[in-house]
Each structure stands twice: as structure tokens, then as C-alpha cells.
Amino acid sequence: MPAFDEMNGFGQGVRPAYRTIQAWLDSSDPENLRRLQKEAEFLFRRIGITFAVYGDAEAEERIIPFDIVPRVLTGSEWSTLSKGLTQRVTALNRFLADVYGAGEVIRAGVVPADLVYQNPAFRPEMVGLKLPHDVYVQIAGIDIIRTDDKDFYVLEDNARTPSGVSYMLENRDVQMRLFPDLFAETRIQPVDNYPDELLASLRSLAPASAPAEPTVVLMTPGPLNSAYYEHSFLADKLGVELVEGRDLFVLDGVVYMRTTRGPKRVDVIYRRIDDDFLDPMVFRPDSVLGIPGLISAYRAGNVTLANAVGTGVADDKAIYTYMPDIVRFYLGEEPILKNVPTWRCREPDSLRYVLDHLPELVVKEVQGSGGYGMLVGPKSTREQIDSFRAKLIADPDGFIAQPTLALSTSPTFVGDGIAPRHIDLRPFVLTGADKVRIVPGGLTRVALKEGSLVVNSSQGGGTKDTWIIEDPAEGTPPAAGQAQSQSQAGG
Amino acid sequence: MLSRHADSLYWLARYVERAENTARLLEAATRLSATPITAEDGRNEWEMAVDGTGTLDLFHEQHAEATQRTVVDFLAFSHANPSSIRNCLDIARANARSVRTALTMDMWETINSGWMETRGVNSPSLTRQELSDFLSRVKELSLRFDGSAYRTMLRNDAYYFLRLGTFIERADFTARVLALKADVLDPNRPSIGGSSDYFQWSWILRSVSALTSYHWVYRDNLKPNLVAEFLILKAEMPRSLVSCYENVTLNLDSLSRDYGRQGASQRKARMLLSQLQDTTLPGLFAIGLKDFLERFILDNASLGNTIAEQYLG
């Protein structure tokens, strides 16, 4: 059976949300679309929206392909989604406060102790530390997929240093620049308040000792990092300094940055650098990216890190399988977003099933990310499957398996016309002292290769602008744009 | 602002300025090489071009002879010359990338698109026309960068550090180019020697894009002592040492006003400026032009170090 298509459903006609898009595509000359697609690429390259691909010296900087056909969700779809996201991220924060605190979720037998305490992402340094308003994950990126028009599934929780939000903002900019008419016809929820919402969240979580106007900085590993463009983009939009480790130092338990006017106290660090590299005195001693003494300042309560240290224990793929129970445990509610059914290979029955069904399953490393280190059974050769089988048997705890889901598709411009390609969605969820903020939209990633299910940019994925529109009335006539173009064609 | 960002801005401006200056030197040398005249002192225009960038020793480690081919490669494209135009643009862009938040979109786009347009140009395959196009693009990049900074940047410390880089680099270049002929300048013989001498003096003015303006200011033929006066002491000449130092002082004063604090850089710059302002043409020749310029180059570099210690560390 073909996958659910966001525009055409299962082939029973254009879904109301996509009428404008359909009309636009029908009235557009492919040559013109090709030209605009090229222009979009030129814009991205000139603005310098690039990312580095590790291990690819030739193409040191690439742009992530941008597809000119937007992905559309209706207001009511978004409403369900945003309730579900709020619920999920609230539960993630409660879970983290618990595992670094009383550990009730473990005592209640909801999550096995070893999955938490033996987890390489578990940071003993965090135990007993009280964070402002118990917020650990200030910025979460939750990867959402669907296979029909009923349910949204969480594919992955990203609670460490999720990236991609700059593309959400830039895609909208470029889409508006190239297709102003589309925006005149449809009321699309804006996303450009994201930096304001982020800054408000970050400032609300400054340490108690900070002044009324806390100083926020964004910390990057530097220009060689694959997401450096995003770091500089966000710092710019936030109006905060983009710092590297060497710009900061710790004195008497307080973090300062070196400025042309002398040292200046720093209160909140939105860090886009992994735990391991934060402080060579506590984590990797060979890290030259970090700040010696940072963790002591953190533990003294003089600086807020966003996200907190040790959040990785909540977003790995082994804990993922327990998320529905975690939601029920802390909130006493049924999860609004579903989990993809998952086999935990650490459980012998599951492992046996997975080994017997490798060619039809997707197997992922518990600690992996970015589309690396996974097996997509139906797309793999015998040899690839056999070698993966050996890895799996050697370390069953390190893997989970899921059915190969037919991710929904969306119309995509592919050089010789419009064709369906698989997509997912990463909305960004901000948690502050006062509330959870989600700008309506997110980053839609698209697997540009025909049939491919891997949407990661490092694996040849592209991105789309994501529209949240008002609910269209059922059964209304075609959008004005189409009527007009038809009458023009007829006249 | 972050000290590291101030440092990147300062060097970004220096490398853009250096790329433009080197492009002008090469243009002037190309032009001079097309005149059928051999130099009396046996130095050819290509060797002088290398000398004007202060990299003659490094050049001779790599090349026996200064010809159009070796010098164009060395000054424009060589990765083995840290000050080649290619390296200047690479370093400028790397600096721009690391301080993107301090640049306006126009400035970044100028650097980034200029860098993309020129990165494919390579020396062995270059025709005269292509070289000339390349050099024009480099000058254009610098002019656009300068203009977009002037028109779009907030007037705050970021702007002042950028400008400091420009003027310190520019003063260095003017002094070096003038020093190329300083040793043959005889104050007792104020007129031009042979025709090769004439072309070399016009070459020097051309390298700092001052040939036309010289005639406007002096309404006279090229006279070496007037060229020296023009490039050192004339405040209305934007590449003269005194003009560069008026700007260095201005920007350092703006910084100290914003920061509410004076330091060693301000004192040193003001001292150098008043020395320049108090100097007269006869005074220059009393010291010896060559000595004067060599000392200036050292003082200018030392001010750069003082700025780095005070702000960029």
C-alpha cells in the first residue's frame, strides 16, 4: 500500500488543507518552478546558510536543500500536536528532576534502574542539584511522524542540543521572498517570534543570584562545527554574544566573559556543545572547547545551563520506549502523542523476534543520532543485514528495533516535476519558568531520494517551510487562486 | 563586546584592506611592465611589487627570479605566502564567519559572495584579461565592504575596531610603497631622473590610487619630494600617513569615550599623530626619508600591538 500523502491522503482526492498548494502547483509552469528552486538555492548560499558534513573534505560547506513546496497542517491538527508536545516535554522535565532527585519513577518500577543509572548520559554531578523551577530541558526538538490523518507519533525526543530551528525561520523567509502571492491567499501562522520566545524562556530561568537583567550568551564549539551557521544566526536574532569556551572563565564560582571593557558576568548559557566538552575538569580532560570550573559554578547555582547537564538520560532510545508510562506516571494522563511500537533488544523475547525479522525492521543504536548507525531492513543488502546481526548479538542492550513505518509523504519538487517524498516534523518546544511555549510550525525534513525514509540532512535530506493554517471549511470550492488562473487560461 | 570578536573585526578589516592594496600593486605593475622601458637601477617592477608588500625574503626563498608569472602567482594566489590575495580573502572570510553577529547582512554578503566568486580563479591558466578581472573583483569587494560598513553598521565599538584595522593596515602599506623609492630620493635634485624613474614614481602613486589626485593638488609634474609630501603629510590625501592617523586617533577616541577610559593606545596614537602633524618637508629630509619611513612602520606595528594588549587579549 502506498504511504499516506499529506496532499492526496490515500488517493481519495486533495485534502482541504492542501487546496491552495494544489491550485498553485496546477497553475505553475515546471520551468518556472525550476527557476525559483534555483533562486532559493542561490539565496541560501549567499546568506551563507551552510552546514559542514563530517568526513567530507571536498564539500566543506554544503547547503541543506530547500524544497519550494510547503508542508501544511491545519489549526486543529496543530492544536492536538501542541497539546501533546507540551504534555510530553513536561513529563521529560519531571522525569529528569526525579532521576536526579528522589528516584520515585524507579522505585515505582516504571523504568528499570540500570537503564537510568548505567546510562552513559547519566551525570552523577547532577544528583541532588536543584535547578531553577526544576527545568532541565529548556529547548526540546521532538521528531514527529504520521502514517495516516489520525495519529501523530513521536519518533524521537531530542533533549540535549537539538538543532534545525534556524532552518524553520530561514525557510519561511525564503518562501515569502519567492512566493509572496501564496502568502496573500492563505493565512499562515507566523514563526518569527521564536527568538523572542526563546529569550524570554532563558531569562526566566536565570539563577536567583543574577541581576534583574540577566546576561544570556550562546556558546558554540566554533566555526568548524556543523551547526555553526545556526549558532551565529540565533545569537544574532537573540541579540546575545556568541561565545566560545575561550571567551569565558570562572572566578570564585562565577562565570565571566572576556570583553573589550574587561570581565562581564554571565548568568545564562544557551550552550550548543555536548556535556562531554563543557568542563575539562569534570568531563573530558582533553576538551579545549570547554571552560575549566564551569560545573563548579553551575553547582554553586551561579549560572544556568540550557539545556541542563545530563538531559541525555531522558532522550535515549531505550528510555524512549518507556515514555508513555512516564507520561502516565507523572501527569496521570493518557499520552496524546503515540510512541512508535518498539522492541527493546535487551529483552530476550524481543531480541529473538528482531533477529528473525531483520529484513523488515528498522534497528537503531540506543545512543545513536543523526541517522548514523542504523539499519533500515527493507533498504539493506544481505551483507549489511548480516553484519548488523552480528553487532546486535554482541550488544543487544545497545539497540532497539521498530517496524519500517511508511512515513507520510508530501509533494516535493524533484527536478522533473512534483513527486511524493517521505517527511517528518521537528517542532521546537520551549520551557520557561512560567509556561511552555511552542511557535506554530517546526522544521519539516524531507527524504529527497525516491523511496528513502531517512530525512537527516547528513544523509541527503532536505527541508520545507511548514505552514499552520486556519481550518479550511469542508467541501468549499477550489481556492481563489485556482479559479483565477483557470479563468485566465480560459480567456 | 567580546575581545575575540573585536580581534576578528580588526583583522577582518586589515585583510580586506591588504587584499585591495596588493591588487592595486599588481595592477600598477602590470601596467608598468607594458611600458618599453628598463629600470636604471636594474630592479624590475615585479620585484618592487613584492617588496611593497614586505615579503621579498619569503619570495626569494621560493622563486629565483621576479617575473610576471612568479610574482602574480606569489602575490595573488600562493598558499605559501600568508599575505597573498587568496590567503587574505580566506582569512577575512574565516574572521567574518566567526564574528557574523557583529556584521550587518550587507557586509557578510559582500565578503561571502566575493569569496565565492574569486575562490575558483587560479593562476596557471590565467590570461591577462582574466587577471585584470580578478583584480577588479578584489578591489570591488573591498570597496563594497567599506561602503556597506559605512552605510549599515551601528556606530559602536564594533565599528571602531573595524576602522582601526583598515587605517593601520593602510598606513603600513603607504609607508612601504613609498619606501621603495625613498633611498634614491635626493632632496638636492628635486626633479625626476630618467624616464624609468618617472614611470616608477607614477607607479607608486598609482599603487595607492593617487596619481590623478596628485595632479589636482599640485598642478605640477611629478616631483619626488612632492610625492613624499603628498603621501606622508597631506591630510586631504586619504591614504597619506597623516590622514590614516587622524582616523586611527578618531576611532580610538570614540572607543575611549564609549568605554569611559583612556589607555596606552590613545596616548601612543595621539603622539604619533602630532609627530606627523609637526613634520615638514625639509624636516623629513633632515631625518632621511628612508629612516623616517622605517621608523614609522615600526611605530605603526607597535601601536597595533598596544591596541591588541589593551582590548583584544
Side-chain angles (χ1 to χ4, degrees), chain B residues 66-97:
Chain B
T67 62
Q68 170 158 8
R69 198 184 55 75
T70 55
V71 172
V72 166
D73 181 64
F74 182 76
L75 289 186
F77 303 106
S78 170
H79 286 288
N81 171 11
S83 292
S84 70
I85 293 176
R86 172 83 280 131
N87 272 338
C88 284
L89 296 184
D90 283 351
I91 298 169
R93 180 176 182 268
N95 274 305
R97 224 165 106 77

PDB file of all heavy atoms in Angstrom, chain B residues 66-97:
ATOM      1  N   ALA B  66      62.064  37.328 -10.221  1.00  0.00           N
ATOM      2  CA  ALA B  66      60.771  38.010 -10.176  1.00  0.00           C
ATOM      3  C   ALA B  66      60.293  38.289 -11.595  1.00  0.00           C
ATOM      4  O   ALA B  66      60.777  39.198 -12.256  1.00  0.00           O
ATOM      5  CB  ALA B  66      60.882  39.312  -9.388  1.00  0.00           C
ATOM      6  N   THR B  67      59.385  37.467 -12.061  1.00  0.00           N
ATOM      7  CA  THR B  67      58.794  37.679 -13.377  1.00  0.00           C
ATOM      8  C   THR B  67      57.297  37.863 -13.175  1.00  0.00           C
ATOM      9  O   THR B  67      56.783  37.657 -12.073  1.00  0.00           O
ATOM     10  CB  THR B  67      58.998  36.449 -14.275  1.00  0.00           C
ATOM     11  OG1 THR B  67      58.315  35.346 -13.657  1.00  0.00           O
ATOM     12  CG2 THR B  67      60.471  36.106 -14.419  1.00  0.00           C
ATOM     13  N   GLN B  68      56.621  38.237 -14.231  1.00  0.00           N
ATOM     14  CA  GLN B  68      55.173  38.391 -14.106  1.00  0.00           C
ATOM     15  C   GLN B  68      54.545  37.098 -13.564  1.00  0.00           C
ATOM     16  O   GLN B  68      53.719  37.133 -12.654  1.00  0.00           O
ATOM     17  CB  GLN B  68      54.553  38.728 -15.455  1.00  0.00           C
ATOM     18  CG  GLN B  68      53.028  38.643 -15.400  1.00  0.00           C
ATOM     19  CD  GLN B  68      52.359  39.453 -16.494  1.00  0.00           C
ATOM     20  OE1 GLN B  68      53.005  39.972 -17.386  1.00  0.00           O
ATOM     21  NE2 GLN B  68      51.054  39.552 -16.412  1.00  0.00           N
ATOM     22  N   ARG B  69      54.979  35.958 -14.110  1.00  0.00           N
ATOM     23  CA  ARG B  69      54.349  34.702 -13.725  1.00  0.00           C
ATOM     24  C   ARG B  69      54.578  34.391 -12.234  1.00  0.00           C
ATOM     25  O   ARG B  69      53.653  34.110 -11.493  1.00  0.00           O
ATOM     26  CB  ARG B  69      54.883  33.554 -14.587  1.00  0.00           C
ATOM     27  CG  ARG B  69      54.007  32.304 -14.577  1.00  0.00           C
ATOM     28  CD  ARG B  69      54.656  31.173 -15.367  1.00  0.00           C
ATOM     29  NE  ARG B  69      55.999  30.864 -14.897  1.00  0.00           N
ATOM     30  CZ  ARG B  69      56.254  30.196 -13.763  1.00  0.00           C
ATOM     31  NH1 ARG B  69      55.259  29.762 -13.012  1.00  0.00           N
ATOM     32  NH2 ARG B  69      57.496  29.983 -13.387  1.00  0.00           N
ATOM     33  N   THR B  70      55.853  34.469 -11.809  1.00  0.00           N
ATOM     34  CA  THR B  70      56.134  34.106 -10.414  1.00  0.00           C
ATOM     35  C   THR B  70      55.508  35.106  -9.443  1.00  0.00           C
ATOM     36  O   THR B  70      54.993  34.717  -8.387  1.00  0.00           O
ATOM     37  CB  THR B  70      57.653  34.031 -10.149  1.00  0.00           C
ATOM     38  OG1 THR B  70      58.256  35.274 -10.521  1.00  0.00           O
ATOM     39  CG2 THR B  70      58.300  32.898 -10.926  1.00  0.00           C
ATOM     40  N   VAL B  71      55.523  36.397  -9.812  1.00  0.00           N
ATOM     41  CA  VAL B  71      55.025  37.390  -8.861  1.00  0.00           C
ATOM     42  C   VAL B  71      53.502  37.374  -8.782  1.00  0.00           C
ATOM     43  O   VAL B  71      52.931  37.450  -7.688  1.00  0.00           O
ATOM     44  CB  VAL B  71      55.550  38.805  -9.223  1.00  0.00           C
ATOM     45  CG1 VAL B  71      54.868  39.860  -8.365  1.00  0.00           C
ATOM     46  CG2 VAL B  71      57.053  38.858  -9.019  1.00  0.00           C
ATOM     47  N   VAL B  72      52.854  37.232  -9.915  1.00  0.00           N
ATOM     48  CA  VAL B  72      51.386  37.148  -9.870  1.00  0.00           C
ATOM     49  C   VAL B  72      50.967  35.941  -9.043  1.00  0.00           C
ATOM     50  O   VAL B  72      50.091  36.029  -8.188  1.00  0.00           O
ATOM     51  CB  VAL B  72      50.783  37.073 -11.293  1.00  0.00           C
ATOM     52  CG1 VAL B  72      49.324  36.646 -11.232  1.00  0.00           C
ATOM     53  CG2 VAL B  72      50.920  38.417 -11.989  1.00  0.00           C
ATOM     54  N   ASP B  73      51.655  34.834  -9.272  1.00  0.00           N
ATOM     55  CA  ASP B  73      51.301  33.645  -8.501  1.00  0.00           C
ATOM     56  C   ASP B  73      51.531  33.886  -7.008  1.00  0.00           C
ATOM     57  O   ASP B  73      50.685  33.583  -6.184  1.00  0.00           O
ATOM     58  CB  ASP B  73      52.117  32.444  -8.979  1.00  0.00           C
ATOM     59  CG  ASP B  73      51.744  31.193  -8.196  1.00  0.00           C
ATOM     60  OD1 ASP B  73      50.580  30.773  -8.312  1.00  0.00           O
ATOM     61  OD2 ASP B  73      52.586  30.675  -7.439  1.00  0.00           O
ATOM     62  N   PHE B  74      52.678  34.450  -6.690  1.00  0.00           N
ATOM     63  CA  PHE B  74      53.049  34.639  -5.281  1.00  0.00           C
ATOM     64  C   PHE B  74      52.120  35.637  -4.584  1.00  0.00           C
ATOM     65  O   PHE B  74      51.634  35.387  -3.486  1.00  0.00           O
ATOM     66  CB  PHE B  74      54.496  35.128  -5.211  1.00  0.00           C
ATOM     67  CG  PHE B  74      55.016  35.315  -3.814  1.00  0.00           C
ATOM     68  CD1 PHE B  74      55.384  34.226  -3.037  1.00  0.00           C
ATOM     69  CD2 PHE B  74      55.131  36.599  -3.269  1.00  0.00           C
ATOM     70  CE1 PHE B  74      55.864  34.402  -1.747  1.00  0.00           C
ATOM     71  CE2 PHE B  74      55.614  36.776  -1.976  1.00  0.00           C
ATOM     72  CZ  PHE B  74      55.978  35.678  -1.214  1.00  0.00           C
ATOM     73  N   LEU B  75      51.871  36.766  -5.217  1.00  0.00           N
ATOM     74  CA  LEU B  75      51.095  37.811  -4.550  1.00  0.00           C
ATOM     75  C   LEU B  75      49.588  37.582  -4.616  1.00  0.00           C
ATOM     76  O   LEU B  75      48.854  38.016  -3.737  1.00  0.00           O
ATOM     77  CB  LEU B  75      51.409  39.192  -5.160  1.00  0.00           C
ATOM     78  CG  LEU B  75      52.782  39.766  -4.848  1.00  0.00           C
ATOM     79  CD1 LEU B  75      52.891  41.181  -5.395  1.00  0.00           C
ATOM     80  CD2 LEU B  75      53.059  39.775  -3.349  1.00  0.00           C
ATOM     81  N   ALA B  76      49.139  36.924  -5.666  1.00  0.00           N
ATOM     82  CA  ALA B  76      47.690  36.786  -5.802  1.00  0.00           C
ATOM     83  C   ALA B  76      47.180  35.437  -5.297  1.00  0.00           C
ATOM     84  O   ALA B  76      46.146  35.370  -4.654  1.00  0.00           O
ATOM     85  CB  ALA B  76      47.276  36.997  -7.254  1.00  0.00           C
ATOM     86  N   PHE B  77      47.908  34.368  -5.574  1.00  0.00           N
ATOM     87  CA  PHE B  77      47.286  33.049  -5.389  1.00  0.00           C
ATOM     88  C   PHE B  77      47.993  32.099  -4.426  1.00  0.00           C
ATOM     89  O   PHE B  77      47.398  31.142  -3.968  1.00  0.00           O
ATOM     90  CB  PHE B  77      47.155  32.359  -6.743  1.00  0.00           C
ATOM     91  CG  PHE B  77      46.368  33.167  -7.728  1.00  0.00           C
ATOM     92  CD1 PHE B  77      46.982  33.819  -8.777  1.00  0.00           C
ATOM     93  CD2 PHE B  77      45.003  33.315  -7.566  1.00  0.00           C
ATOM     94  CE1 PHE B  77      46.253  34.579  -9.673  1.00  0.00           C
ATOM     95  CE2 PHE B  77      44.263  34.071  -8.452  1.00  0.00           C
ATOM     96  CZ  PHE B  77      44.884  34.710  -9.510  1.00  0.00           C
ATOM     97  N   SER B  78      49.274  32.329  -4.161  1.00  0.00           N
ATOM     98  CA  SER B  78      50.060  31.317  -3.455  1.00  0.00           C
ATOM     99  C   SER B  78      49.553  31.076  -2.031  1.00  0.00           C
ATOM    100  O   SER B  78      49.297  32.022  -1.279  1.00  0.00           O
ATOM    101  CB  SER B  78      51.519  31.765  -3.407  1.00  0.00           C
ATOM    102  OG  SER B  78      52.225  30.910  -2.542  1.00  0.00           O
ATOM    103  N   HIS B  79      49.433  29.816  -1.667  1.00  0.00           N
ATOM    104  CA  HIS B  79      49.106  29.493  -0.283  1.00  0.00           C
ATOM    105  C   HIS B  79      50.342  29.601   0.586  1.00  0.00           C
ATOM    106  O   HIS B  79      50.256  29.630   1.808  1.00  0.00           O
ATOM    107  CB  HIS B  79      48.502  28.097  -0.192  1.00  0.00           C
ATOM    108  CG  HIS B  79      47.096  28.064  -0.712  1.00  0.00           C
ATOM    109  ND1 HIS B  79      46.046  28.641  -0.026  1.00  0.00           N
ATOM    110  CD2 HIS B  79      46.567  27.578  -1.856  1.00  0.00           C
ATOM    111  CE1 HIS B  79      44.932  28.496  -0.722  1.00  0.00           C
ATOM    112  NE2 HIS B  79      45.226  27.862  -1.844  1.00  0.00           N
ATOM    113  N   ALA B  80      51.522  29.624  -0.060  1.00  0.00           N
ATOM    114  CA  ALA B  80      52.771  29.705   0.701  1.00  0.00           C
ATOM    115  C   ALA B  80      53.094  31.146   1.087  1.00  0.00           C
ATOM    116  O   ALA B  80      54.053  31.379   1.801  1.00  0.00           O
ATOM    117  CB  ALA B  80      53.916  29.107  -0.126  1.00  0.00           C
ATOM    118  N   ASN B  81      52.309  32.099   0.601  1.00  0.00           N
ATOM    119  CA  ASN B  81      52.503  33.481   1.013  1.00  0.00           C
ATOM    120  C   ASN B  81      51.313  33.894   1.876  1.00  0.00           C
ATOM    121  O   ASN B  81      50.204  34.053   1.393  1.00  0.00           O
ATOM    122  CB  ASN B  81      52.587  34.377  -0.227  1.00  0.00           C
ATOM    123  CG  ASN B  81      52.564  35.851   0.132  1.00  0.00           C
ATOM    124  OD1 ASN B  81      52.695  36.222   1.303  1.00  0.00           O
ATOM    125  ND2 ASN B  81      52.386  36.691  -0.872  1.00  0.00           N
ATOM    126  N   PRO B  82      51.543  34.057   3.170  1.00  0.00           N
ATOM    127  CA  PRO B  82      50.423  34.333   4.073  1.00  0.00           C
ATOM    128  C   PRO B  82      49.663  35.600   3.701  1.00  0.00           C
ATOM    129  O   PRO B  82      48.503  35.760   4.086  1.00  0.00           O
ATOM    130  CB  PRO B  82      51.077  34.496   5.453  1.00  0.00           C
ATOM    131  CG  PRO B  82      52.517  34.214   5.300  1.00  0.00           C
ATOM    132  CD  PRO B  82      52.849  34.031   3.862  1.00  0.00           C
ATOM    133  N   SER B  83      50.306  36.503   2.958  1.00  0.00           N
ATOM    134  CA  SER B  83      49.630  37.746   2.593  1.00  0.00           C
ATOM    135  C   SER B  83      49.137  37.760   1.150  1.00  0.00           C
ATOM    136  O   SER B  83      48.773  38.816   0.635  1.00  0.00           O
ATOM    137  CB  SER B  83      50.572  38.935   2.799  1.00  0.00           C
ATOM    138  OG  SER B  83      50.813  39.121   4.166  1.00  0.00           O
ATOM    139  N   SER B  84      49.150  36.610   0.472  1.00  0.00           N
ATOM    140  CA  SER B  84      48.625  36.609  -0.891  1.00  0.00           C
ATOM    141  C   SER B  84      47.140  36.969  -0.857  1.00  0.00           C
ATOM    142  O   SER B  84      46.460  36.770   0.158  1.00  0.00           O
ATOM    143  CB  SER B  84      48.807  35.231  -1.547  1.00  0.00           C
ATOM    144  OG  SER B  84      47.944  34.280  -0.963  1.00  0.00           O
ATOM    145  N   ILE B  85      46.664  37.507  -1.964  1.00  0.00           N
ATOM    146  CA  ILE B  85      45.254  37.910  -2.013  1.00  0.00           C
ATOM    147  C   ILE B  85      44.353  36.727  -1.638  1.00  0.00           C
ATOM    148  O   ILE B  85      43.413  36.850  -0.860  1.00  0.00           O
ATOM    149  CB  ILE B  85      44.891  38.435  -3.414  1.00  0.00           C
ATOM    150  CG1 ILE B  85      45.646  39.739  -3.684  1.00  0.00           C
ATOM    151  CG2 ILE B  85      43.398  38.657  -3.539  1.00  0.00           C
ATOM    152  CD1 ILE B  85      45.448  40.310  -5.084  1.00  0.00           C
ATOM    153  N   ARG B  86      44.705  35.560  -2.188  1.00  0.00           N
ATOM    154  CA  ARG B  86      43.918  34.353  -1.887  1.00  0.00           C
ATOM    155  C   ARG B  86      43.838  34.123  -0.375  1.00  0.00           C
ATOM    156  O   ARG B  86      42.772  33.926   0.188  1.00  0.00           O
ATOM    157  CB  ARG B  86      44.586  33.170  -2.600  1.00  0.00           C
ATOM    158  CG  ARG B  86      44.104  31.799  -2.317  1.00  0.00           C
ATOM    159  CD  ARG B  86      42.890  31.416  -3.115  1.00  0.00           C
ATOM    160  NE  ARG B  86      41.681  31.977  -2.528  1.00  0.00           N
ATOM    161  CZ  ARG B  86      40.757  32.630  -3.197  1.00  0.00           C
ATOM    162  NH1 ARG B  86      40.878  32.830  -4.487  1.00  0.00           N
ATOM    163  NH2 ARG B  86      39.692  33.100  -2.597  1.00  0.00           N
ATOM    164  N   ASN B  87      44.998  34.155   0.290  1.00  0.00           N
ATOM    165  CA  ASN B  87      45.008  33.936   1.736  1.00  0.00           C
ATOM    166  C   ASN B  87      44.300  35.052   2.483  1.00  0.00           C
ATOM    167  O   ASN B  87      43.597  34.801   3.463  1.00  0.00           O
ATOM    168  CB  ASN B  87      46.448  33.790   2.251  1.00  0.00           C
ATOM    169  CG  ASN B  87      46.913  32.340   2.166  1.00  0.00           C
ATOM    170  OD1 ASN B  87      46.102  31.427   2.126  1.00  0.00           O
ATOM    171  ND2 ASN B  87      48.214  32.143   2.120  1.00  0.00           N
ATOM    172  N   CYS B  88      44.497  36.295   2.022  1.00  0.00           N
ATOM    173  CA  CYS B  88      43.812  37.422   2.677  1.00  0.00           C
ATOM    174  C   CYS B  88      42.299  37.204   2.657  1.00  0.00           C
ATOM    175  O   CYS B  88      41.619  37.392   3.662  1.00  0.00           O
ATOM    176  CB  CYS B  88      44.117  38.741   1.970  1.00  0.00           C
ATOM    177  SG  CYS B  88      45.751  39.394   2.329  1.00  0.00           S
ATOM    178  N   LEU B  89      41.787  36.797   1.498  1.00  0.00           N
ATOM    179  CA  LEU B  89      40.339  36.628   1.392  1.00  0.00           C
ATOM    180  C   LEU B  89      39.863  35.431   2.218  1.00  0.00           C
ATOM    181  O   LEU B  89      38.811  35.483   2.853  1.00  0.00           O
ATOM    182  CB  LEU B  89      39.913  36.480  -0.072  1.00  0.00           C
ATOM    183  CG  LEU B  89      40.184  37.710  -0.952  1.00  0.00           C
ATOM    184  CD1 LEU B  89      39.645  37.493  -2.356  1.00  0.00           C
ATOM    185  CD2 LEU B  89      39.571  38.974  -0.353  1.00  0.00           C
ATOM    186  N   ASP B  90      40.657  34.359   2.215  1.00  0.00           N
ATOM    187  CA  ASP B  90      40.284  33.200   3.035  1.00  0.00           C
ATOM    188  C   ASP B  90      40.230  33.576   4.519  1.00  0.00           C
ATOM    189  O   ASP B  90      39.299  33.221   5.240  1.00  0.00           O
ATOM    190  CB  ASP B  90      41.281  32.053   2.844  1.00  0.00           C
ATOM    191  CG  ASP B  90      41.069  31.315   1.523  1.00  0.00           C
ATOM    192  OD1 ASP B  90      40.049  31.589   0.846  1.00  0.00           O
ATOM    193  OD2 ASP B  90      41.915  30.472   1.160  1.00  0.00           O
ATOM    194  N   ILE B  91      41.280  34.288   4.960  1.00  0.00           N
ATOM    195  CA  ILE B  91      41.337  34.648   6.380  1.00  0.00           C
ATOM    196  C   ILE B  91      40.238  35.665   6.709  1.00  0.00           C
ATOM    197  O   ILE B  91      39.586  35.579   7.747  1.00  0.00           O
ATOM    198  CB  ILE B  91      42.721  35.227   6.745  1.00  0.00           C
ATOM    199  CG1 ILE B  91      43.807  34.175   6.504  1.00  0.00           C
ATOM    200  CG2 ILE B  91      42.752  35.655   8.207  1.00  0.00           C
ATOM    201  CD1 ILE B  91      45.219  34.725   6.570  1.00  0.00           C
ATOM    202  N   ALA B  92      40.029  36.606   5.778  1.00  0.00           N
ATOM    203  CA  ALA B  92      38.981  37.601   6.012  1.00  0.00           C
ATOM    204  C   ALA B  92      37.636  36.911   6.168  1.00  0.00           C
ATOM    205  O   ALA B  92      36.856  37.211   7.075  1.00  0.00           O
ATOM    206  CB  ALA B  92      38.926  38.606   4.864  1.00  0.00           C
ATOM    207  N   ARG B  93      37.354  35.943   5.307  1.00  0.00           N
ATOM    208  CA  ARG B  93      36.055  35.277   5.402  1.00  0.00           C
ATOM    209  C   ARG B  93      35.954  34.445   6.678  1.00  0.00           C
ATOM    210  O   ARG B  93      34.910  34.423   7.339  1.00  0.00           O
ATOM    211  CB  ARG B  93      35.794  34.393   4.198  1.00  0.00           C
ATOM    212  CG  ARG B  93      34.430  33.709   4.307  1.00  0.00           C
ATOM    213  CD  ARG B  93      34.089  32.910   3.087  1.00  0.00           C
ATOM    214  NE  ARG B  93      32.777  32.306   3.190  1.00  0.00           N
ATOM    215  CZ  ARG B  93      32.569  31.084   3.672  1.00  0.00           C
ATOM    216  NH1 ARG B  93      33.575  30.360   4.112  1.00  0.00           N
ATOM    217  NH2 ARG B  93      31.346  30.592   3.720  1.00  0.00           N
ATOM    218  N   ALA B  94      37.055  33.769   7.038  1.00  0.00           N
ATOM    219  CA  ALA B  94      37.024  32.983   8.274  1.00  0.00           C
ATOM    220  C   ALA B  94      36.755  33.906   9.466  1.00  0.00           C
ATOM    221  O   ALA B  94      35.967  33.576  10.355  1.00  0.00           O
ATOM    222  CB  ALA B  94      38.336  32.225   8.460  1.00  0.00           C
ATOM    223  N   ASN B  95      37.391  35.072   9.466  1.00  0.00           N
ATOM    224  CA  ASN B  95      37.137  36.026  10.544  1.00  0.00           C
ATOM    225  C   ASN B  95      35.700  36.520  10.502  1.00  0.00           C
ATOM    226  O   ASN B  95      35.050  36.649  11.545  1.00  0.00           O
ATOM    227  CB  ASN B  95      38.096  37.220  10.429  1.00  0.00           C
ATOM    228  CG  ASN B  95      39.414  36.952  11.126  1.00  0.00           C
ATOM    229  OD1 ASN B  95      39.446  36.629  12.303  1.00  0.00           O
ATOM    230  ND2 ASN B  95      40.499  37.052  10.401  1.00  0.00           N
ATOM    231  N   ALA B  96      35.219  36.796   9.310  1.00  0.00           N
ATOM    232  CA  ALA B  96      33.844  37.290   9.184  1.00  0.00           C
ATOM    233  C   ALA B  96      32.866  36.237   9.704  1.00  0.00           C
ATOM    234  O   ALA B  96      31.884  36.543  10.378  1.00  0.00           O
ATOM    235  CB  ALA B  96      33.534  37.632   7.730  1.00  0.00           C
ATOM    236  N   ARG B  97      33.152  34.976   9.391  1.00  0.00           N
ATOM    237  CA  ARG B  97      32.285  33.889   9.840  1.00  0.00           C
ATOM    238  C   ARG B  97      32.274  33.803  11.360  1.00  0.00           C
ATOM    239  O   ARG B  97      31.247  33.525  11.964  1.00  0.00           O
ATOM    240  CB  ARG B  97      32.809  32.581   9.261  1.00  0.00           C
ATOM    241  CG  ARG B  97      31.741  31.684   8.695  1.00  0.00           C
ATOM    242  CD  ARG B  97      32.384  30.621   7.836  1.00  0.00           C
ATOM    243  NE  ARG B  97      32.376  29.320   8.514  1.00  0.00           N
ATOM    244  CZ  ARG B  97      31.322  28.544   8.623  1.00  0.00           C
ATOM    245  NH1 ARG B  97      30.176  28.899   8.117  1.00  0.00           N
ATOM    246  NH2 ARG B  97      31.405  27.386   9.241  1.00  0.00           N
TER     247      ARG B  97
END
